[in-house]
Amino acid sequence: MSLLKINGLTQQFGGLTAVSDFSTEFQGNELMGLIGPNGAGKTTVFNIVSGFYKPTQGKILFEEKPINGLKPHRVTAMGIARTFQNIRLWHDMSLLDNILISQHYNLGYNLFDLFVRNRRYIENEKRMRNIAMQLLEQLDLVQFMDEKPKNLPYGIQRKIEIARALSVKPSLLLLDEPAAGLNSSDVQELIKLIGWIHKEFKISIWMIEHQMAVVMSLCSWIQVIDFGKTIAQGTPEQIQNNPAVIKAYLGDDQI
Amino acid sequence: MKKFSVPALLAIIAAGTVIAAHFELIDLYVQTVIMFIGVNIILSSSFNIINGYMGEFACGHAGFMAVGAYVTSVLNIMFFTSSKSFGDPILSPELALWFFPVTMILGGIAAAFTGLLVAIPSFKTRDDYLAIITLAANFILVSLFINMDSVGGSRGLMGMKQIVFAMEDVAFIPWMLIWTFLFTFSTVFIIRRFVSSTYGKGIIAIHQDEIAAEIMSVNTNKMKLVAFMLSSGLAGIAGGLFAHILGYINPNSFNILKSTECLVMVYLGGMGSLSGSVIAAIIFTLLIEGLRFIIPAMDTLIHFIPLVPDTFHLSQVLKWVIIPLILVILMQFRPEGIMGNRELSDFFPKLKRYYEFK
């Protein structure tokens, strides 16, 4: 059984074909990279998988169930979490609340329980708080628990965003340029963090990244797209020496 | 101990006022002002769900108030009084006392469903465009009641005093005061519980980043539906109380001016601050009632010193100059309102030792 299977995915915006005939497959517990020059359609693929766009054509099966056309919150509840290129935390809420609200897929109580504050409400709130606290401890973020993300350094905010994505207990984590805007020491830490998450939580990670250091040291399989088309895929070594990839990134030698 | 301090304090305030009213220590006018404070607290704190916590700019709150007012009044008149348009009472008037909260809640439910008029467009519309929709909803609801002759049309609807008298026939105590206290306190408790739960914080997440909320498994459409329906439903309850306090309603008392009053209260108190809304509602009501005395006094003053011709008089319309002016001054000097988005316990952390409010 494959974790995620994408078949012949095509997305058109008016006359522009952002993604054409994109296919990939995850068996589970792997770390894959999606790279390509600017405007290649990488984020569009992520947006389709997470439910923001309805693809023009193609099938997406997650754990054998079709997910194209589902609303983003449904997709997340099924087990695909993602982060964004520009950090999208709730900046005016405490870190703990940021993690807690992500438990919305599994509240376990309804409005009535909330208004009367019965046992079900109290127990579920406690359960969600425990999940959040456990996660914060695992990721060593407990000391920032009551801080607002906007007051924390950029590197920590990245880590919080990943922590928030992990709080929905995903089986597939999509990271959209996790290293964007980080300095080199933060990037080293991020590489360590992603590798650790991959091992510790035993989840598949799929990431878009421009910094080759990150992709080459983490990913076991890389897919390269340009103008919406897959131009190469393989192990990091194969990709590094692939002429089509070099051409896409550096251009033709003819002027 | 901490757990009971707030309910105990509120019970003492309510019981004290009711007893004072019963033994005529406070006159009817003061009682009415107290009841209006209650109505305004419901209005401002329920409006705060949308404008403060969810960060939308709605401006048609009075429309939902009108729905609540009319539904509750018509139900009560139909069931418990003999009137020209609705005929003899269906149930015995003594039962009015027991069914009053039921009809109030039915009015609230009706208003909550009219809230769908705004909630459904809000799925795809935001900001200025949603503001226009809410404005339109207010006009739709007001003109609906103007054109409904069976409920009095633009002449308004009367007969709610009879309900109050019917309740007082059962036991002669100030019932409306009791109901106002009861509904006001429950509203504040309901909103407090809602926004302090993980469920309710979903609407704050929508305010801060809707896309992030959607991706982190918050069902944004459902949350918007819940927020708008809760807000308009509570406004409907405020409307029902308002109708029975005054004993007379007119579609034009729920027009855009009433919505503006709600806006002023929310922005005066602070967006996303429940204690702010309560404080602002109290200040605002006292200010409005104060102007009733201040404007004639000013009028006498400017005629005492012969500054203006004798034919010129300051009228109560000046109220509608002063209230918007407060809004202008507020936006200039303290745009976040009295409390900002903080609560009373954030300003006075020591208070936390004495109470636990949830």
Side-chain angles (χ1 to χ4, degrees):
Chain A
M1 191 181 107
S2 60
L3 181 71
L4 179 78
K5 193 174 178 182
I6 300 177
N7 221 336
L9 193 70
T10 301
Q11 176 76 46
Q12 283 169 328
F13 297 115
L16 178 86
T17 307
V19 178
S20 92
D21 201 22
F22 179 88
S23 300
T24 193
E25 194 172 348
F26 281 79
Q27 295 308 327
N29 207 18
E30 64 241 277
L31 227 164
M32 296 236 274
L34 182 62
I35 64 170
N38 287 325
K42 308 179 294 290
T43 302
T44 310
V45 171
F46 272 24
N47 283 345
I48 296 168
V49 173
S50 54
F52 279 111
Y53 300 145
K54 210 177 165 194
T56 324
Q57 262 173 33
K59 255 195 189 147
I60 310 167
L61 295 172
F62 182 69
E63 291 170 341
E64 311 282 302
K65 289 184 285 275
I67 58 164
N68 33 344
L70 283 186
K71 287 260 194 189
H73 68 91
R74 297 276 305 279
V75 175
T76 310
M78 287 173 78
I80 303 181
R82 75 170 281 187
T83 66
F84 292 89
Q85 195 173 339
N86 45 345
I87 294 174
R88 295 197 97 119
L89 290 163
W90 298 299
H91 283 286
D92 267 322
M93 264 189 267
S94 72
L95 171 52
L96 184 66
D97 279 347
N98 265 277
I99 309 279
L100 273 177
I101 290 169
S102 312
Q103 297 295 316
H104 248 255
Y105 74 105
N106 186 19
L107 282 171
Y109 61 82
N110 56 29
L111 264 181
F112 176 77
D113 298 329
L114 185 163
F115 289 143
V116 298
R117 256 179 219 257
N118 58 14
R119 197 130 123 227
R120 187 140 65 129
Y121 170 82
I122 293 165
E123 274 170 9
N124 276 301
E125 284 281 335
K126 204 185 268 172
R127 172 185 60 83
M128 289 189 279
R129 206 187 147 87
N130 286 341
I131 292 174
M133 287 309 291
Q134 195 193 347
L135 191 73
L136 290 179
E137 260 163 43
Q138 274 177 313
L139 289 164
D140 198 19
L141 287 167
V142 180
Q143 71 264 40
F144 305 119
M145 197 172 91
D146 294 319
E147 299 272 352
K148 288 178 178 171
K150 65 176 177 190
N151 301 329
L152 295 170
Y154 200 76
I156 303 285
Q157 291 188 22
R158 276 278 173 219
K159 200 172 169 183
I160 294 170
E161 210 190 11
I162 294 173
R164 190 181 66 173
L166 284 173
S167 70
V168 301
K169 297 216 163 75
S171 36
L172 175 65
L173 178 63
L174 311 180
L175 299 174
D176 193 349
E177 293 201 31
L182 297 183
N183 62 31
S184 53
S185 71
D186 280 348
V187 169
Q188 288 313 313
E189 246 173 63
L190 184 82
I191 293 175
K192 255 189 255 163
L193 176 72
I194 294 173
W196 178 80
I197 287 171
H198 179 59
K199 265 195 226 99
E200 178 79 17
F201 293 87
K202 296 195 174 53
I203 56 174
S204 293
I205 297 177
W206 194 12
M207 66 165 137
I208 293 175
E209 188 46 71
H210 273 299
Q211 294 203 25
M212 286 306 140
V214 180
V215 184
M216 296 301 165
S217 60
L218 280 171
C219 300
S220 53
W221 191 259
I222 296 169
Q223 196 167 5
V224 191
I225 60 174
D226 192 18
F227 293 113
K229 291 192 180 68
T230 306
I231 55 169
Q233 48 186 322
T235 59
E237 292 75 32
Q238 286 167 338
I239 293 297
Q240 268 168 329
N241 303 318
N242 190 313
V245 177
I246 295 167
K247 193 176 140 194
Y249 269 91
L250 301 174
D252 237 326
D253 49 2
Q254 291 164 357
I255 297 169
Chain B
M1 227 8 246
K2 252 168 55 170
K3 215 171 169 180
F4 299 108
S5 58
V6 174
L9 184 69
L10 294 177
I12 290 167
I13 293 174
T17 321
V18 171
I19 289 168
H22 184 61
F23 294 105
E24 289 168 9
L25 298 172
I26 48 178
D27 62 13
L28 275 175
Y29 175 68
V30 178
Q31 285 180 37
T32 314
V33 172
I34 291 171
M35 288 189 273
F36 276 144
I37 289 177
V39 170
N40 281 340
I41 287 174
I42 301 179
L43 280 177
S44 67
S45 54
S46 63
F47 206 25
N48 210 346
I49 299 176
I50 304 298
N51 281 35
Y53 292 108
M54 204 162 79
E56 291 292 358
F57 186 78
C59 42
H61 212 47
F64 306 116
M65 193 185 165
V67 174
Y70 271 93
V71 170
T72 312
S73 308
V74 167
L75 281 176
N76 277 335
I77 291 173
M78 210 184 328
F79 279 95
F80 306 111
T81 68
S82 55
S83 62
K84 233 183 275 165
S85 41
F86 299 105
D88 287 335
I90 298 170
L91 296 172
S92 146
E94 287 94 69
L95 289 172
L97 176 60
W98 306 107
F99 280 95
F100 185 75
V102 179
T103 52
M104 284 296 274
I105 288 165
L106 285 177
I109 290 170
F113 278 99
T114 5
L116 291 174
L117 200 64
V118 178
I120 290 169
S122 80
F123 293 168
K124 298 222 163 163
T125 326
R126 290 212 74 172
D127 305 332
D128 314 9
Y129 305 100
L130 188 63
I132 293 167
I133 291 172
T134 58
L135 202 59
N138 195 344
F139 280 114
I140 291 169
L141 293 170
V142 169
S143 30
L144 181 78
F145 290 118
I146 287 180
N147 288 298
M148 262 202 305
D149 265 339
S150 54
V151 294
S154 57
R155 294 185 309 280
L157 182 65
M158 268 199 281
M160 283 77 85
K161 272 281 180 258
Q162 279 170 272
I163 318 274
V164 182
F165 294 148
M167 288 195 278
E168 282 173 353
D169 282 345
V170 178
F172 192 75
I173 47 174
W175 281 110
M176 279 320 292
L177 206 57
I178 296 173
W179 294 126
T180 312
F181 273 116
L182 208 67
F183 280 107
T184 308
F185 293 161
S186 350
T187 301
V188 174
F189 269 87
I190 280 177
I191 295 175
R192 171 69 189 168
R193 288 186 169 184
F194 183 65
V195 296
S196 64
S197 70
T198 303
Y199 191 103
K201 276 176 188 158
I203 62 169
I204 308 174
I206 292 175
H207 176 194
Q208 295 185 8
D209 193 330
E210 192 174 339
I211 289 176
E214 181 70 34
I215 203 69
M216 291 323 298
S217 80
V218 178
N219 187 345
T220 50
N221 284 357
K222 189 179 155 201
M223 287 313 294
K224 282 177 183 171
L225 208 64
V226 168
F228 273 108
M229 286 181 80
L230 184 63
S231 167
S232 44
L234 291 172
I237 286 179
L241 283 173
F242 178 81
H244 288 81
I245 294 167
L246 274 185
Y248 166 75
I249 46 172
N250 180 315
N252 283 322
S253 45
F254 303 108
N255 61 8
I256 190 73
L257 281 179
K258 192 79 195 172
S259 297
T260 314
E261 277 184 26
C262 304
L263 273 176
V264 174
M265 282 189 282
V266 170
Y267 287 91
L268 181 70
M271 315 246 280
S273 166
L274 187 55
S275 37
S277 315
V278 174
I279 293 169
I282 296 171
I283 292 176
F284 183 80
T285 321
L286 292 179
L287 184 77
I288 291 257
E289 293 303 324
L291 284 176
R292 264 182 224 281
F293 304 105
I294 293 167
I295 292 171
M298 276 163 65
D299 193 52
T300 326
L301 189 72
I302 57 171
H303 287 96
F304 183 67
I305 318 159
L307 284 173
V308 288
D310 279 349
T311 48
F312 179 82
H313 283 289
L314 289 175
S315 73
Q316 287 293 334
V317 179
L318 200 64
K319 187 169 99 169
W320 290 110
V321 178
I322 294 173
I323 292 163
L325 202 63
I326 294 171
L327 204 55
V328 172
I329 294 168
L330 191 73
M331 287 299 125
Q332 275 295 318
F333 296 104
R334 202 174 160 83
E336 75 273 25
I338 299 172
M339 307 288 282
N341 61 359
R342 288 170 293 181
E343 297 293 343
L344 209 56
S345 58
D346 299 328
F347 278 95
F348 307 104
K350 279 185 184 166
L351 275 179
K352 271 192 186 147
R353 259 187 273 164
Y354 302 108
Y355 78 92
E356 187 180 48
F357 184 41
K358 56 185 186 181

